[in-house]
């Protein structure tokens, strides 16, 4: 992955940003792609959006690196932080799929439309239509919420993100409970 040249993003990146966290995480969070600070540090979500993401995790009793892994739909920074193109998301998909296989999380949380596009192949449909639903990827439950960078620009939506986190936690609890009968 580190020397990948499968898409045009390779030409502009400083480094590949694969992901960070507990390799046996129960929670896998997937964002869009590295921004400027992530491109420099080599770690996802270290800028402003990352601070909000850490706060969101803390709100449901989680911490980066503890039972949590954070990755992105694309591993290289799109120039000027533009949205990754569908072809770039597809080119990076085998890496994401491999990460999911290795980590084998109990729940996947998709942050924003690029992640939803990558995992659910949802190319149209607004994010609002994907929230509050339980999807599956290779048998692993998947839920969708807003991207933290979007929440920074649309503060009133934080309430919906909070609802989504509670929903995510309830889906996780369902997967934890033993079969009753
Ligand atoms: N936004 C993302 O989607 N991913 C990051 O790693 C940073 C910001």
């Amino acid at each position: 992955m580190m020397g990948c040249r499968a898409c045009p993003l390779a030409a502009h990146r400083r480094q590949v940003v694969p992901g960070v966290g507990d390799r046996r995480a129960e929670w896998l969070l997937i964002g869009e792609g590295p921004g400027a600070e992530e491109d420099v540090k080599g770690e996802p979500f270290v800028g402003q959006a990352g601070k909000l993401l850490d706060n969101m995790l803390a709100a449901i009793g989680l911490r980066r690196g503890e039972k949590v892994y954070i990755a992105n739909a694309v591993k290289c920074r799109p120039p000027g932080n533009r949205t990754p193109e569908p072809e770039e998301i597809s080119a990076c998909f085998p890496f994401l799929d491999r990460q999911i296989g290795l980590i084998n999380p109990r729940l996947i949380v998709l942050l924003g439309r690029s992640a939803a596009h990558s995992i659910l192949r949802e190319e149209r449909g607004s994010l609002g239509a994907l929230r509050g639903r339980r999807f599956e990827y290779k048998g692993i439950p998947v839920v969708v919420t807003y991207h933290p960078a979007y929440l920074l620009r649309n503060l009133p939506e934080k309430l919906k993100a909070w609802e989504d986190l509670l929903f995510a936690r309830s889906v996780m609890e369902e997967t934890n409970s033993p079969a009753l009968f």
Side-chain angles (χ1 to χ4, degrees):
M1 184 196 299
M2 302 313 272
C4 178
R5 302 244 141 229
C7 87
L9 297 182
H12 304 277
R13 68 166 183 240
R14 276 197 217 188
Q15 58 185 317
V16 178
V17 183
V20 67
D22 184 343
R23 279 155 197 249
R24 300 182 59 199
E26 297 185 347
W27 296 71
L28 172 61
L29 279 72
I30 304 176
E32 179 171 287
E37 287 164 88
E38 290 79 20
D39 185 49
V40 170
K41 294 203 178 141
E43 179 174 334
F45 283 103
V46 289
Q48 276 299 110
K51 288 199 187 111
L52 177 54
L53 182 61
D54 286 339
N55 290 341
M56 290 165 71
L57 289 172
I60 50 167
L62 295 174
R63 270 165 57 143
R64 174 183 298 239
E66 279 178 23
K67 298 192 182 176
V68 177
Y69 194 93
I70 304 173
N72 279 310
V74 297
K75 314 300 188 206
C76 298
R77 182 191 179 201
N81 295 350
R82 65 164 171 75
T83 304
E85 298 292 342
E87 299 76 30
E88 293 161 352
I89 292 175
S90 301
C92 216
F93 183 71
F95 294 118
L96 185 57
D97 179 58
R98 182 97 182 107
Q99 284 179 307
I100 294 171
L102 290 169
I103 297 166
N104 192 23
R106 299 173 86 137
L107 178 69
I108 298 173
V109 181
L110 304 177
L111 304 168
R113 290 193 61 198
S114 292
H117 181 168
S118 181
I119 296 293
L120 304 177
R121 309 273 137 184
E122 284 282 349
E123 299 181 24
R124 289 160 294 149
S126 71
L127 199 102
L130 303 174
R131 298 175 49 237
R133 292 164 61 186
R134 181 189 196 280
F135 299 89
E136 278 197 6
Y137 180 76
K138 295 188 173 171
I140 301 168
V142 174
V143 301
V144 182
T145 189
Y146 294 107
H147 190 287
Y150 170 84
L151 296 174
L152 288 172
R153 297 189 304 267
N154 300 276
L155 294 180
E157 303 287 50
K158 274 190 177 179
L159 182 58
K160 292 188 192 161
W162 170 239
E163 290 167 2
D164 295 341
L165 292 175
L166 295 180
F167 177 64
R169 198 167 61 180
S170 74
V171 171
M172 177 63 100
E173 279 161 10
E174 277 167 32
T175 71
N176 279 343
S177 44
L180 291 177
F181 304 106

